[in-house]
């Protein structure tokens, strides 16, 4: 969806539409079908959210919003780093969904593998406009030690720019720490790239070889130019050569993504590895570093490489990424996961999805399992925020579809919401909903209102909200959000 585009339908067309509400569930919080965990369905028996009961004509695509799930957070991490350095992030690097998905949520989690779907919302200070939150959650791993073994190929940028403090030195320290924490049955390979790429360490089991791996990591040193394309290509070739059955095979790219040598077009780089990515299911985890960072290139590679990106700027965030989040992402509970939100045409004439511009999927491809979605691990939440004008009646139904990572069988789950379930005011909703709103409003402010969020407060008022929420939630991440906003408030 175009950032400035709103969905509109004429009154005549609205009257001609069949009532979509008859197929829809009651408000998600009161849904008895989901009270004891999610209801999983296959593509064969799942009701399409875009159809009315007994009607074979799909609702107009203008009332559908479809996107691939995304748990990227690099945009928010890079914005925090830029603000801390006394600058403003370039608006082109600000993606609201990555701000929102950087924070803990309050969604109910399923009892089994798959997703729960939560739909809630609140009215804004702009008359007749509300924020609607669609939240998806997976069940945390029962025992992290029971995950499948990992086969991780680290592709490490050793170009000259990586010599800046907080780049290669941070990567070395993080990899050393992670090497000590991975299991004996895990394995790692190391590929470096500068002017050319080199496999420094082939796929090697951790058990009995930790000293060898530490030596390889400690020997990493910055060299010259950045041939990122050759690095990714060699990384995938090394991952295929060391492929392990019944393991999670993943490429981890650590770079400032300032490609200046060889192939620099992300689409061309992706074409080179597309066969390996599809045939062997090798996903890409991008770790961005550096005060000057090639955000667009890294994000494109990760999005189309069935993975996601994070950004690290200091020892604390590096430890969190390499010692908590990366191990959490080793296992997968869903492949090619997509969401589709069907707005009731009798209630909603316009809506705006806040973000996800790079993850949109054609509405008709929601159930096309050949179209890539997102890869999601255990204990993940995904949030999408909509700006919606609504009156009374049914508001929307949200459906998530995913493939079992082992059998590739499709599953779906659904939740919905009535307008009478909207909170009267954003700032009287649950604390976690308020955090979601603050994060999205902050991203909108950093792009000078490009996302057109209704009822946007000033940065000073946003800071006050964030400060209060940090105290209420006792969450250090929310406290860091408050700090970032304070650094953006004009003196």
């Amino acid at each position: 969806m175009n950032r400035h585009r709103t969905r509109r339908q004429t009154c005549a067309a609205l009257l001609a539409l069949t009532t979509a509400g008859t197929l829809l569930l009651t408000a998600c919080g009161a849904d008895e079908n989901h009270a004891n965990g999610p209801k999983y369905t296959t593509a064969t028996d799942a009701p399409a959210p875009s159809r009315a009961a007994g009607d074979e004509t799909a609702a107009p695509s203008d009332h559908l919003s479809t996107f691939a799930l995304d748990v990227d957070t690099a945009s928010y991490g890079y914005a925090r780093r830029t603000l801390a350095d006394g600058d403003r992030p370039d608006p082109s690097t600000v993606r609201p969904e990555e701000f929102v998905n950087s924070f803990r949520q309050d969604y109910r989690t399923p009892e089994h593998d798959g997703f729960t779907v939560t739909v809630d919302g609140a009215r804004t200070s702009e008359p007749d406009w509300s924020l609607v939150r669609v939240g998806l959650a997976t069940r945390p791993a029962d025992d992290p030690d029971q995950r499948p073994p990992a086969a991780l190929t680290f592709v490490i940028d050793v170009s000259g720019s990586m010599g800046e403090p907080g780049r290669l030195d941070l990567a070395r320290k993080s990899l050393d720490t992670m090497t000590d924490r991975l299991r004996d049955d895990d394995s790692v390979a190391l590929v470096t790239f500068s002017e050319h790429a080199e496999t420094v360490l082939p796929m090697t089991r951790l058990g009995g070889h930790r000293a060898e791996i530490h030596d390889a990591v400690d020997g990493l040193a910055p060299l010259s130019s950045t041939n990122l394309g050759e690095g990714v290509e060699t990384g995938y070739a090394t991952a295929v050569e060391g492929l392990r059955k019944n393991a999670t095979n993943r490429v981890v790219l650590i770079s400032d993504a300032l490609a200046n040598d060889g192939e620099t077009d992300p689409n061309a780089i992706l074409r080179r590895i597309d066969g390996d990515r599809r045939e062997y299911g090798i996903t890409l985890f991008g770790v961005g570093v550096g005060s000057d960072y090639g955000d667009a290139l890294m994000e494109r590679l990760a999005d189309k490489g069935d993975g996601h990106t994070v950004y690290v700027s200091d020892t604390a965030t590096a430890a969190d990424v390499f010692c908590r989040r990366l191990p959490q992402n080793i296992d997968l509970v869903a492949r090619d996961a997509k969401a589709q939100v069907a707005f009731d045409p009798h209630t909603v004439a316009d809506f705006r999805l806040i973000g996800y511009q790079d993850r949109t999927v054609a509405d008709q491809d929601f159930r096309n399992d050949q179209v890539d979605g997102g890869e999601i691990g255990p204990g993940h939440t995904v949030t999408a925020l909509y700006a919606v004008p609504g009156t009374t009646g049914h508001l929307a139904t949200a459906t998530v579809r995913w493939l079992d990572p082992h059998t590739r069988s499709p599953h779906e789950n659904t939740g919905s919401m009535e307008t009478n379930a909207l909170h009267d005011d954003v700032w009287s909703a649950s604390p976690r909903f308020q955090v979601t709103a603050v994060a999205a409003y902050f991203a909108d402010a950093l792009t000078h209102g490009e996302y057109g969020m209704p009822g946007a407060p000033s940065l000073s008022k946003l800071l006050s909200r964030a400060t209060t929420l940090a105290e209420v939630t006792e969450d250090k991440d929310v406290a860091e959000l408050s700090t970032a906003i304070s650094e953006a408030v004009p003196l």
Side-chain angles (χ1 to χ4, degrees), residues 292-313:
D292 190 12
Y293 167 56
D295 167 81
L297 176 58
M298 184 71 90
E299 191 227 359
R300 179 73 177 168
L301 287 172
D303 280 355
K304 298 303 180 183
D306 290 339
H308 58 278
T309 61
V310 297
Y311 178 85
V312 298
S313 59

Side-chain angles (χ1 to χ4, degrees), residues 22 47 50 84-85 160 196 218 224 271 288 311 358 393-394 404 428 466 469:
T22 56
S50 59
D85 288 346
H196 296 290
D218 295 344
S224 54
R271 282 194 295 271
Y311 178 85
D358 296 334
H394 186 78
D404 182 282
S428 66
L469 287 167

Side-chain angles (χ1 to χ4, degrees), residues 141 144-154 178 181-183 185-188 206 244 246-252 281-283 285 308 321-335 375-378 380 405-406:
D145 290 334
Q146 296 302 311
R147 65 165 172 78
L152 306 175
T153 301
F154 290 93
M178 195 187 68
R181 296 194 182 186
L182 286 172
R183 298 187 328 215
D185 62 343
D186 293 329
S187 56
V188 300
L206 271 292
R244 291 180 57 185
N246 302 317
T248 302
N249 294 273
R250 183 169 292 239
V251 168
V252 182
I282 300 172
T283 56
F285 186 89
H308 58 278
V321 166
F322 285 95
C323 299
R324 183 183 67 85
R325 296 177 64 179
L326 181 55
Q328 181 187 47
N329 282 278
I330 287 174
D331 198 9
L332 290 177
V333 298
R335 281 190 180 274
E375 274 48 53
I376 306 296
H380 276 152
H406 307 294

Side-chain angles (χ1 to χ4, degrees), residues 258-460:
L258 301 176
N260 57 18
D261 197 356
E263 184 59 71
T264 60
D265 176 64
N267 292 325
I269 295 171
L270 288 163
R271 282 194 295 271
R272 292 182 178 183
I273 64 171
D274 195 56
D276 292 342
R277 179 180 66 84
R278 292 180 180 274
E279 182 176 354
Y280 301 106
I282 300 172
T283 56
L284 179 67
F285 186 89
V287 181
V289 296
S291 56
D292 190 12
Y293 167 56
D295 167 81
L297 176 58
M298 184 71 90
E299 191 227 359
R300 179 73 177 168
L301 287 172
D303 280 355
K304 298 303 180 183
D306 290 339
H308 58 278
T309 61
V310 297
Y311 178 85
V312 298
S313 59
D314 52 40
T315 303
T317 55
D320 181 62
V321 166
F322 285 95
C323 299
R324 183 183 67 85
R325 296 177 64 179
L326 181 55
Q328 181 187 47
N329 282 278
I330 287 174
D331 198 9
L332 290 177
V333 298
R335 281 190 180 274
D336 290 326
K338 310 182 192 85
Q340 185 169 85
V341 181
F343 289 93
D344 191 321
H346 288 79
T347 307
V348 178
D350 303 316
F351 67 85
R352 291 197 290 269
L353 173 59
I354 309 301
Y356 286 97
Q357 277 69 35
D358 296 334
R359 301 295 277 162
T360 55
V361 173
D363 295 332
Q364 66 270 22
D365 286 334
F366 177 58
R367 292 190 172 92
N368 181 352
D369 296 328
Q370 302 305 309
V371 174
D372 284 342
E375 274 48 53
I376 306 296
H380 276 152
T381 60
V382 180
T383 299
L385 199 64
Y386 289 86
V388 181
T391 52
T392 59
H394 186 78
L395 186 64
T397 289
T399 301
V400 59
R401 179 182 178 84
W402 71 97
L403 303 182
D404 182 282
H406 307 294
T407 66
R408 307 289 292 186
S409 60
H411 301 277
E412 294 185 5
N413 197 15
T414 300
S416 64
M417 186 181 188
E418 308 291 323
T419 53
N420 61 12
L422 288 166
H423 288 278
D424 290 337
D425 181 67
V426 168
W427 310 116
S428 66
S430 72
R432 290 296 171 184
F433 185 97
Q434 292 185 53
V435 171
T436 298
V438 168
Y441 278 129
F442 183 38
D444 194 39
L446 291 175
T447 62
H448 310 294
E450 185 173 355
Y451 292 92
M453 289 192 62
S458 66
L459 277 174
S460 296

